[in-house]
Amino acid sequence: MNAQDILARMDALETRCPKLGHQVTFEYCRQESLKRPCSRALVCWNHRLPVEMILKKLVGEETYEAVFGGPPKSRVESLMEAIESAKQRCNAGGSGPREAPS
């Protein structure tokens, strides 16, 4: 069995995602956001896999530290970032937030 086969077997494993509320595969968790791991992957998978070692190998030390190095974000912080990101996408597309008719 080679490394690709081992990764394919790990990718097929499933666990319940506390963010989504249903089963997801390890493959999804390790590349949830723009090919970066989910910030909860360590907690969700550490009982089944040596997930810290695996993710460091797969994503590299720099990306690993960017995702898992800081303190976890609160729901409010995550929500504020999502709102700011949406505003930037709207402004970049030339169709900013609409004004309510007066």
Side-chain angles (χ1 to χ4, degrees):
M1 184 177 293
N2 63 30
Q4 290 297 326
D5 293 337
I6 294 170
L7 182 59
R9 293 183 108 185
M10 287 188 297
D11 278 348
L13 295 173
E14 291 185 349
T15 193
R16 185 182 181 285
C17 175
K19 287 170 45 176
L20 300 175
H22 58 78
Q23 296 291 110
V24 294
T25 62
F26 180 65
E27 180 180 22
Y28 175 83
C29 296
R30 69 178 179 82
Q31 52 189 346
E32 180 229 14
S33 176
L34 301 172
K35 302 288 182 187
R36 300 173 94 183
C38 173
S39 61
R40 294 178 179 231
L42 296 180
V43 173
C44 295
W45 289 98
N46 71 356
H47 67 286
R48 297 184 71 185
L49 300 168
V51 68
E52 184 176 340
M53 179 187 72
I54 294 166
L55 292 176
K56 279 183 179 176
K57 279 238 185 233
L58 291 174
V59 301
E61 198 69 40
E62 186 176 315
T63 301
Y64 182 89
E65 286 302 317
V67 174
F68 301 110
K73 294 178 186 168
S74 69
R75 287 181 184 245
V76 172
E77 289 173 319
S78 297
L79 186 58
M80 294 304 291
E81 284 182 9
I83 291 169
E84 285 302 316
S85 176
K87 282 181 182 178
Q88 289 174 358
R89 283 195 306 271
C90 285
N91 291 337
S95 59
R98 295 185 182 160
E99 297 285 328
S102 52

